[in-house]
Amino acid sequence: MRAYDGRVTDIQTTTSVLPKSLPVMAVLGLTDPGDGDWNRLRGLQYSSLSRVTAARILAHGLASLAVLRLYYDSVHPAGLVAWFVLLAASLVFGAKVDKALGDTDRRRITRDEVHRQSLSSVGNALVWVAPLAAFAPFGDPKEHLELWAVCAMLMTASAVLLPAVPLSNLLFGGIVGGAAVVSFLFGQSYEMALISILFMVVVGLGAVENARFFLTARIAESAMAEKSEVVSMLLREFEEGEADWLWQTDPLRRVRSASPRFAYALGLSPEEVEGKPFIQLIAGPAWDTGQFPSSMHDLAERLKRRESFSNLLVRVTINNQQRWWEISGTPKLDENGNFDGFRGVGSDVTEQRESSEKIAHMARFDTLTGLPNRMMVTEALGEAMRYADQWRTRCAFLMIDLDRFKAVNDTLGHLVGDQLLARVSERLKSIMTDNELVGRLGGDEFAIVIRDASNHNRVTQVAEAAIELLSRPYEVDHHTLYIGASVGSAIGPRDGTTVETLMRNADLALYRSKEEGGGIHHGYEPSLHQEAEERRKLEFSLRRALEKNELLLNYQPVVDAKDENIVSFEALLRWNSEEHGFVSPAKFIPLAEDTRLIVPIGEWVLREACREATRWPKNVKVAVNASGEQLLDPGFVPSVISALSSSGLPAQRLEIEVTESIFVRDATTARSALEQIMALGCGIALDDFGTGYSSLAYIRNLRFSTIKVDRSFVQGAAAGSPESLAIIRAVVAMAESLEMSTTAEGVETEHELEIIRGLGCRKIQGYYFGRPMGANDARNLFSGSQLRQVNG
């Protein structure tokens, strides 16, 4: 459209060079005002002279015959012939001048050409002075009056036939009229002299006004011609464009004057299109069956009602292919105002529409799984809530979070993770009915909208089916994968009257499912809000715990299994909150890990534990727990170095305890961090071995200093469990062969102590030898001869 706008600007520029007003002196050609291109206007004036040359010659010829008849008896024939020859010569000269000016509407006229035309008029006028000056004295007054009538006729004819050159008319009329006045004065006919003067004035004014009207008309004609030319050019450009075409129909809605572009769009020739019904050409087989798409019906109705329409999107069938056309049309009227059909433009917008549909699909569907995305799930839930409100029923919203998916994604890569998500989506779709919609909210979170949940058991059934189905093994890229699912649900409108509220409450229920270990379904309960608010307050307090010095460390002794001497302490974090009192580590440590507060808190623990360990005997080590968030933090290794250097503790006296779960998240980064710590001389202990993602690969790739046996196996062995006994024996044997130490956790009774000693564990930790204690109490232990006696 910008190109067309430029052409319109050209039209405005072209017409604007013509003057807006026509002063008398300018019309006469005596001045050229500065408000327009008067040189071009002169060309418009003088180009019309050649068209009236014949009429002017005819008028002069008739007038000359009248003069010859009047003075045939009173003037010598030689004089009459001489005069007639002069007249003919002046007319021929004038005709040549006028012919030379015929193309001045297409070029600029010169000043010499204007002077030449004026001179031809003066010469012609002087020829007509001869009868008034030389013939009239030989005739009677009646012949004199008839001669004046002939001259007056010529003056009038000149003003009428030559409106384009008023200056020539004034020169001709002034000279001929002036001669007539003089001749009447010599004949003492003063009344006729006065009449002649008045006639000259009237003819002169008429010539000027006639010239002004003529010029106005020529300006309008020129502008219209230019506009018509540019519009034609625009239509040609429009018609030659790649996508748009023109169309028009007669009153019977048959195509007329089919343009090549329109015919090409139909896949036909202009001859094949001409005269065919417009709807038939674009309807395809629907023309015979009558099964028109709604957009085609709309177009037909508008044509039938003779209504204008713009950018109407119509589904057409061209060569048995479905296409989309955008059509605009306007009724056209004949010169009598009667309906004469339609005229309009159209374009094929199939590609644009398909792109728009693809974009719309992408905006509402997840590209990886093909499931509805968060936006569409939200819309579906809103519709379900409106349905429930209208029919006084219930709807439900279930949020699903995959258990252990992150471990798969981190260890096997995103490609395998994406394939696994696609398999999960297929399984979820398999349990959906027309009453449910499943979508992906993002990451490893899915959601199910149950439109009608009047039967509350249906919510439980869907949740349990999802958990059971998603917990089955997956075969992806030659890997057998095991994950699970946790589900939280909320019922609308009972648990929320808005989409946002219902989704938030389902999320709270999901959080409870995850808190309880995952793999279960938990419905929303009002108490969850209170728990969430408590968690929010707890997080707020935890963020200020360091600066308020609310954190402290307790130390639990680890003893040699043979002589029961203390060999190390495990530093255990405790929080005495000003607002909440003593908070259980099981409550605030997961919160610290979720919020990544564990990173700054862990740095503080390292510094404090190393500083305190310098007060113990040099053979006693300190063990500090490190979470996965800390190991993945780039600043973890520098923080260990800083803690050792600031405290002066030898690296050999620091042991970092990690769990197997850190290797599931990002094994490469975790291994790199641990290798750097071991390079410093620190020991690495593998905590809770056998309870999680046990893999001999971890032990083979990293030289752990200690493997800690979880208390569940200690209790099982004390109870005589063959499995627990076998596991402990295997762990001890493996550790011995790899030159690693073993620590049994959770020893609380003498019976358990004897069992563990018998199984070969080198170190023991548990309430039997000491509960976690403050720093002062830990230091006091070294003054006692027997640890059991002090603890007892």
Side-chain angles (χ1 to χ4, degrees), residues 234-551:
L234 290 177
L235 290 175
R236 287 195 301 273
E237 288 186 359
F238 183 85
E239 191 63 24
E240 292 169 0
E242 294 184 357
D244 297 23
W245 28 260
L246 301 171
W247 63 275
Q248 61 179 341
T249 64
D250 60 17
L252 297 178
R253 299 190 287 279
R254 295 173 300 195
V255 174
R256 296 300 179 192
S257 303
S259 66
R261 284 293 307 167
F262 178 46
Y264 178 79
L266 291 167
L268 302 170
S269 66
E271 293 75 19
E272 293 174 306
V273 173
E274 190 69 24
K276 294 285 184 65
F278 182 55
I279 298 297
Q280 180 183 359
L281 289 170
I282 63 177
W287 177 261
D288 298 320
T289 64
Q291 302 297 317
F292 297 105
S294 58
S295 59
M296 189 74 70
H297 271 297
D298 191 13
L299 173 62
E301 283 299 312
R302 290 171 186 263
L303 293 174
K304 182 179 179 181
R305 295 196 299 263
R306 302 177 181 179
E307 294 178 352
S308 295
F309 52 92
S310 177
N311 301 325
L312 186 65
L313 198 61
V314 182
R315 185 159 64 101
V316 301
T317 303
I318 307 299
N319 294 329
N320 295 321
Q321 289 186 347
Q322 297 292 327
R323 309 288 295 178
W324 286 96
W325 283 8
E326 192 173 76
I327 305 176
S328 299
T330 304
K332 57 179 182 175
L333 306 176
D334 60 18
E335 60 274 8
N336 298 320
N338 298 319
F339 175 70
D340 195 32
F342 268 86
R343 178 186 292 115
V345 298
S347 61
D348 191 316
V349 295
T350 305
E351 285 73 21
Q352 296 93 309
R353 180 173 176 84
E354 288 176 349
S355 297
S356 299
E357 289 178 345
K358 185 176 181 180
I359 292 172
H361 184 275
M362 291 173 63
R364 299 169 64 84
F365 287 86
D366 177 56
T367 54
L368 175 61
T369 64
L371 294 178
N373 62 10
R374 178 180 290 272
M375 183 178 78
M376 191 170 179
V377 168
T378 302
E379 292 176 356
L381 180 57
E383 178 60 31
M385 295 191 73
R386 285 189 290 272
Y387 178 86
D389 182 64
Q390 179 182 359
W391 300 104
R392 297 296 187 268
T393 60
R394 291 182 174 184
C395 63
F397 183 71
L398 287 72
M399 290 188 71
I400 304 171
D401 187 83
L402 301 182
D403 300 333
R404 299 182 296 280
F405 172 77
K406 186 170 178 55
V408 174
N409 214 33
D410 290 341
T411 55
L412 299 179
H414 291 285
L415 183 61
V416 173
D418 289 347
Q419 294 181 59
L420 179 57
L421 289 175
R423 302 286 179 84
V424 168
S425 67
E426 291 172 1
R427 293 188 182 185
L428 287 174
K429 283 191 290 188
S430 69
I431 61 173
M432 294 296 103
T433 68
D434 293 339
N435 189 40
E436 293 101 30
L437 177 140
V438 61
R440 182 186 177 207
L441 300 180
D444 61 347
E445 281 194 340
F446 294 81
I448 297 175
V449 176
I450 301 180
R451 181 181 178 86
D452 186 355
S454 301
N455 180 6
H456 186 67
N457 290 331
R458 181 56 185 165
V459 177
T460 304
Q461 291 169 1
V462 171
E464 291 178 350
I467 293 171
E468 191 276 329
L469 195 58
L470 299 183
S471 299
R472 296 177 184 176
Y474 299 82
E475 294 294 330
V476 179
D477 199 19
H478 307 295
H479 296 283
T480 302
L481 306 176
Y482 293 88
I483 60 172
S486 300
V487 181
S489 65
I491 307 297
R494 184 195 69 187
D495 298 333
T497 56
T498 66
V499 170
E500 294 76 13
T501 303
L502 206 61
M503 294 181 73
R504 185 179 69 247
N505 291 343
D507 192 34
L508 290 174
L510 174 63
Y511 188 86
R512 168 59 67 86
S513 298
K514 302 289 285 187
E515 261 191 341
E516 294 181 3
I520 61 172
H521 163 233
H522 202 289
Y524 169 75
E525 299 171 358
S527 61
L528 294 178
H529 264 298
Q530 182 178 352
E531 294 176 6
E533 180 62 18
E534 289 177 358
R535 190 165 57 249
R536 185 191 66 80
K537 291 179 178 178
L538 198 65
E539 178 186 339
F540 181 76
S541 298
L542 185 59
R543 291 185 180 277
R544 299 184 299 167
L546 273 178
E547 61 186 64
K548 296 174 68 174
N549 296 318
E550 294 178 348
L551 299 178

Side-chain angles (χ1 to χ4, degrees), residues 611-625:
R611 185 185 62 81
E612 181 62 28
T614 59
R615 301 175 180 177
W616 304 335
K618 293 182 179 180
N619 65 315
V620 179
K621 298 181 179 181
V622 64
V624 177
N625 291 282

